[in-house]
Each structure stands twice: as C-alpha cells, then as structure tokens.
Amino acid sequence: TRSITTDALLVLGYLAGHFPTLLSRNSRLLRQYDPVVLIPCDVIVKDLDYSDLIRSHTANEADVTMVMKQDFVEGSNTRIWRVKERRFVEASDYIHPPLERQLEADERLYTHEGTWVLGQRFFNTPLYRVVVYLLSRGFANAFAKLKIVPYEGNFDWIDVRDHQNLIEARRRFG
C-alpha cells in the first residue's frame, strides 16, 4: 500500500513470517527501500515516534537501529549490551532479574522487542549471518562490520501474546 505524506512517499507493506525467514524470503523486495522498518506483530509499540526513529538512524549513520528500553522488561529479551561510541559491540546471553553483578561503565541493561531499522549495508551482509545472530547467544561476531545503534524513546510495549494484554490492547487502541 502506498500513501503520500507531507514530505515523502511512504511505502507500507505487511510481511508474515518468522523474522529470519521473512528477511531471506523477501530480501530482494526489501533491498529496494532504504531504510526498512520491521515491526513485530506480536508486540504493540505504543507512542513510538517513527519519524524520530528514522532521524536517529540517519544521524547515527547506523546500519541497524534497534528500539530498546533500559532495564528489565519482564518476559522479554533482556541482555547486557556493551556499548562503544553509541554502537553495540557485544551482547550477553538473555538474562532475568535480579541482575547478579554491577554493570561496568561501557555496559547497559537493555530490553529489545524486535523493532528494527535496517539500512542497505545490512542487506549486503550474507543473510545466513542474520539467522546466526538471531538464533545465537550474543553477537557471535555475525555483524562485526555493521554499525548497530540503540534507540531509546518514550514508548510502551504491550505483548499481545498474553491474552489479558490482547484484551487490554483492544480496549485501549480499538
């Protein structure tokens, strides 16, 4: 579906599937656009400013931007991320509260729920590395050449895999 905004042509599409499969199956299509924003359908991101997200991606000259929240979000993908010059350089295994040690100066506790901004360089990386990254612990050096940057904002996640959350999301958002 295409719609005109005040300053750009916005291309919207719906692609179903598990993330690595979705990327590999549709990489030829997705390469036509820069950047590409991928949003999971099982987690509603409330109040995320997508214009600011794209500006941040561009300003940081990122290859990949990941929407993150600091600290633990119960039941979500929380890791200790090592950050150098606003770039992720390493990630721990998934962890759960309580945190058993003090964070070091270059470490941040972040939860990530799957919203990504992907630049063209991402699609120039062999897609098997995407699968390795997503299914492995930490980075496993899969993206050593890519600049992966966190994006933090004022937003909420609603995990609609939980039935009560789905009822609440329908009540709040229609």
Side-chain angles (χ1 to χ4, degrees):
T1 304
R2 294 174 186 249
S3 64
I4 302 294
T5 62
T6 54
D7 56 355
L9 182 66
L10 180 65
V11 180
L12 304 174
Y14 178 78
L15 302 172
H18 182 56
F19 187 65
T21 313
L22 180 153
L23 282 178
S24 58
R25 194 183 314 142
N26 296 286
S27 64
R28 185 171 294 166
L29 169 68
L30 294 172
R31 283 173 192 268
Q32 300 175 56
Y33 308 105
D34 187 28
V36 173
V37 180
L38 289 180
I39 305 164
C41 62
D42 53 358
V43 177
I44 294 174
V45 185
K46 179 179 178 286
D47 296 329
L48 180 60
D49 184 340
Y50 289 94
S51 297
D52 189 60
L53 173 62
I54 298 295
R55 276 193 297 273
S56 173
H57 177 80
T58 304
N60 284 297
E61 299 179 342
D63 300 311
V64 177
T65 298
M66 296 171 65
V67 174
M68 315 292 283
K69 267 193 169 308
Q70 266 203 286
D71 299 321
F72 288 107
V73 175
E74 190 64 46
S76 297
N77 301 326
T78 303
R79 301 182 193 233
I80 297 172
W81 302 82
R82 191 173 299 276
V83 182
K84 182 177 181 181
E85 298 170 2
R86 281 201 46 79
R87 171 183 175 168
F88 288 139
V89 293
E90 188 181 0
S92 72
D93 294 351
Y94 293 132
I95 56 176
H96 304 281
L99 184 62
E100 296 181 359
R101 65 174 181 81
Q102 188 75 28
L103 292 177
E104 297 182 17
D106 61 350
E107 292 180 333
R108 303 283 289 278
L109 194 64
Y110 275 130
T111 297
H112 166 58
E113 273 299 352
T115 300
W116 300 64
V117 184
L118 307 174
Q120 283 299 309
R121 275 193 40 165
F122 174 87
F123 291 105
N124 293 332
T125 301
L127 282 172
Y128 76 89
R129 293 185 180 189
V130 175
V131 178
V132 169
Y133 166 70
L134 290 170
L135 301 180
S136 69
R137 297 183 179 119
F139 279 85
N141 294 318
F143 288 137
K145 295 180 180 176
L146 293 181
K147 184 177 183 184
I148 305 176
V149 175
Y151 175 84
E152 299 174 80
N154 296 315
F155 55 85
D156 291 315
W157 282 321
I158 299 176
D159 185 343
V160 296
R161 292 168 291 194
D162 179 283
H163 184 68
Q164 285 304 116
N165 286 352
L166 179 58
I167 292 169
E168 176 65 13
R170 285 182 176 154
R171 186 185 69 74
R172 288 170 64 184
F173 306 123

